[in-house]
Each structure stands twice: as structure tokens, then as C-alpha cells.
Amino acid sequence: MSATMLLPFIIVVTLLFENIVNEESSCGCSVGREQIDQYATNSFFATLLVKNDQCPLVEKYKPSNKNLNVTNDMILIPGKPYQVGTDDPIIDSDKEGPKKMVTLKSFYLDKYEVSNRDFHNFIKFTNYKTEAETFGDSFVFALFLNSTFKEKLRDFRVVQAPWWYKVDGASWKHPHGPDSDITDLLDHPVAHVSWNDARAYCEWRGARLPSEAEWEAACRGGHYNNKYPWGDKLYPNHTHMANIWQGTFPNHNSAKDGFVGTNPVHMFPQNDFGLHNMAGNVWEWTEDVWSHKTPKEKVKKGGSYLCHRSYCYRYRCSARSHNTDDSSAGNLGFRCAKSV
């Protein structure tokens, strides 16, 4: 094929690649499978050549009625008008406002984020295979990788967030890579689960993911205009209320809240609805799409243990971000809701 014939193809590929690289802000909150390192060109070209009908991402799993081994309690959130959004947005590109009132029907929401213990029961009874396991990799934060491993993977980082590494063998049961496990993390929130995985788990429990409005209403604990689940002060009475980053991101976490990574789902004070960890710890999937123009992009709420005011001030109730529905990472989890 002549150089003249190749030119249109090269132009199209270049434009697509630049769109992937420049799509997100520098914080890396929306790290996903569509954002690959600029050096991983072989993987990029391979992705272009795969048709949707050639690669089923989630294998069929066996349904089971043995779903009672779940420790997560649910809290009744009463139906009434609730505030959604804010008139004081911090991150304009996230479309945090304007503030509006939305009337919701009563619903139940998990008191805790879904834990590794509960997700393990789901896997045991259904033989479900997560998308990270199907893909064979997931995104791991640099702090949990040794220098040798990071050097080997330096060409498999997210361009705008080089602290995220695409690690072969990382999954919900190997959260920091193939040599790690969840033996000491059973009460921590499950991570490395995609939106599709989260929906499958909730369906197994006879539940569903919460809508964004439900999640945000629950976050505020029945109050209005409060910034955080507990109020407006980040550290009331000098008390750590959530697991977020302390120190200088991304190189130093002082862990003054007691945790470098995730924390057990029952820790830190609950809000006035009795819900734990509605801010920090892990991002939580919601049912809603980010934009009807991009239906694969789903809204996530709550921020994570990697959020810091200097770069990712998203542990506020009105804050929001998004990932593609097949994305997974070491700070991305969920909790379930149920209609009354």
C-alpha cells in the first residue's frame, strides 16, 4: 500500500488517539479502559480492530437463590423532596449545578459499601467473572507497586494521570496486582468492579444501583446545602470523618486518618441517615448515565481515599465524576439500593 493511500488512515487514528489522551482533566478521577498510555500503541491499534460482537466482556454466570450470606444492612430513606446539585459549584466541568429540588419515593440504601466478604459470597454462589478478570487487568495506584514493577509498567500508565498503572492480574481479589490478596481486607470495600459487575451483584441481591439523585439525597442525611455527609466543616472538632488523602498528592500520604488505602466499611461516623463512608474510601457507581450522548459513561459519586482538595475535591455530596461501564480501578466500588 502506498504512502498516499495510508495517509487518510493515519490521520483518523491520530485524531482518535488525541481525543483519548486529552478527554479528561489531570486528576485522573475518570481513569478508564478508553484512556491508555501514549506509548502503548500496539494495544491501541488492536483495540481499533476489535468488533463489538467478537469479544463478550462479561461471561454468563449461574443465578442462585443462596444470596442470604450478605452482612450489609439497608437503611430506609423516606420519600420526600430532596436537594440535588449546588449553586456553588467547585468543578464547573462536572456540571455540579444548579441546585434543584427533586421529589423521591422511599427507598432502601446499603448502610455500608459492599465489602470483599460480601462480594466473595456472590462469586461463590454464582461463579460470576468480573470484567477485570475477563480483560486480565485493572488500574492500580502507584503507591501500591514497588519500584521494579513500576519501571516495567512505565509505558502502561494513564497519560493525564501517570500514577495509575494498568496491571495484568489486578482484580477484586488481587487489588494491588497478582501477588496481592484480600485475606486481610475482607471487611474493606470491594474494588476493581465495573458498573456492569456492580449491577450483577445488586441484581443477585434482589436490589439495584441507586440513581444519582437517590445517592446524593442519602449523602446529605436529610439536610440541605451541607457540603459533606456530616455538615460543612471537613474536620469538625478536629475529627477525621472520612478516608481521604492527607499530605501532598500523589507522592506522600501522611495517613493521619489512619489509612493509606481503603478502610473497613463500618469505620468512620455515619451521617444522620445512619450511612457510613458516603464520602471518601471508594467511589460508588450509580445507575445514571453521565450524558445521553455517551451512554457507556456512568456517574459515580463520593470520591475516594485518593481525593485531596488540591486536585480532586470530589468528596462533597454534590460532586460527581464518571467512568465507562466496563472500567475498574483500585478506588472504585459501590453500594446497592432497593425500591420500597
Side-chain angles (χ1 to χ4, degrees):
M1 184 179 293
S2 68
T4 303
M5 295 175 66
L6 278 173
L7 184 59
F9 176 75
I10 293 172
I11 292 173
V12 170
V13 169
T14 301
L15 290 173
L16 285 171
F17 189 74
E18 288 178 352
N19 187 46
I20 291 172
V21 171
N22 297 318
E23 185 179 36
E24 275 303 330
S25 63
S26 60
C27 80
C29 289
S30 301
V31 57
R33 296 194 176 279
E34 293 181 1
Q35 297 169 285
I36 59 176
D37 187 85
Q38 58 184 337
Y39 303 109
T41 54
N42 289 338
S43 297
F44 175 68
F45 279 99
T47 301
L48 287 180
L49 297 175
V50 174
K51 295 181 179 179
N52 291 335
D53 58 356
Q54 291 179 330
C55 183
L57 300 183
V58 182
E59 294 185 358
K60 295 292 183 179
Y61 64 96
K62 299 176 183 178
S64 172
N65 291 325
K66 298 178 180 179
N67 59 1
L68 299 180
N69 285 25
V70 174
T71 59
N72 208 347
D73 300 324
M74 299 193 93
I75 300 291
L76 177 64
I77 311 300
K80 65 174 187 176
Y82 288 96
Q83 173 191 341
V84 174
T86 178
D87 286 333
D88 186 26
I90 303 296
I91 306 174
D92 289 335
S93 61
D94 285 352
K95 303 175 184 177
E96 297 177 358
K99 179 175 68 175
K100 58 184 178 181
M101 299 301 294
V102 176
T103 299
L104 298 176
K105 296 181 179 180
S106 297
F107 65 98
Y108 292 98
L109 189 68
D110 282 347
K111 183 176 182 178
Y112 311 108
E113 292 159 328
V114 173
S115 69
N116 282 314
R117 188 187 307 277
D118 287 337
F119 200 77
H120 176 264
N121 285 327
F122 164 61
I123 299 297
K124 180 174 65 176
F125 289 129
T126 64
N127 294 320
Y128 181 86
K129 189 174 183 180
T130 63
E131 292 198 283
E133 293 170 292
T134 302
F135 279 113
D137 56 57
S138 190
F139 290 96
V140 178
F141 187 69
L143 193 65
F144 303 110
L145 303 174
N146 62 46
S147 298
T148 301
F149 205 23
K150 285 191 288 188
E151 180 60 27
K152 289 180 179 178
L153 296 174
R154 65 188 304 271
D155 291 345
F156 296 90
R157 293 174 292 168
V158 178
V159 174
Q160 301 295 337
W163 44 84
W164 281 111
Y165 288 74
K166 191 176 183 181
V167 178
D168 288 346
S171 69
W172 73 275
K173 57 185 174 182
H174 302 294
H176 302 150
D179 294 332
S180 64
D181 60 49
I182 58 170
T183 301
D184 298 324
L185 302 173
L186 290 176
D187 292 324
H188 287 235
V190 66
H192 297 286
V193 287
S194 70
W195 181 85
N196 296 311
D197 299 331
R199 286 193 88 198
Y201 172 91
C202 290
E203 182 180 356
W204 171 71
R205 276 184 47 192
R208 56 177 174 79
L209 287 173
S211 68
E212 180 179 7
E214 287 176 333
W215 193 99
E216 189 168 333
C219 180
R220 287 197 172 88
H223 301 288
Y224 300 95
N225 295 320
N226 51 316
K227 189 174 294 184
Y228 310 111
W230 53 86
D232 287 325
K233 293 184 178 180
L234 183 57
Y235 302 113
N237 299 318
H238 306 288
T239 301
H240 289 278
M241 303 294 288
N243 178 7
I244 56 177
W245 187 280
Q246 289 95 42
T248 305
F249 187 89
N251 299 314
H252 174 64
N253 186 350
S254 65
K256 289 183 178 180
D257 57 16
F259 300 94
V260 173
T262 58
N263 62 265
V265 298
H266 62 277
M267 297 195 68
F268 290 100
Q270 65 245 60
N271 70 1
D272 284 350
F273 277 154
L275 302 165
H276 287 263
N277 295 289
M278 293 296 286
N281 212 19
V282 291
W283 282 100
E284 298 181 16
W285 289 112
T286 72
E287 180 66 26
D288 292 359
V289 299
W290 181 257
S291 167
H292 291 292
K293 295 180 180 179
T294 55
K296 282 183 64 65
E297 294 280 344
K298 308 298 183 181
V299 177
K300 60 180 184 178
K301 298 281 284 184
S304 79
Y305 64 91
L306 295 177
C307 284
H308 186 274
R309 185 165 186 163
S310 67
Y311 88 104
C312 181
Y313 188 22
R314 291 185 171 97
Y315 42 84
R316 296 166 291 110
C317 290
S318 61
R320 56 205 300 267
S321 190
H322 57 104
N323 285 94
T324 56
D325 57 13
D326 58 358
S327 295
S328 60
N331 68 338
L332 184 51
F334 69 104
R335 72 181 75 209
C336 299
K338 191 173 183 179
S339 300
V340 173

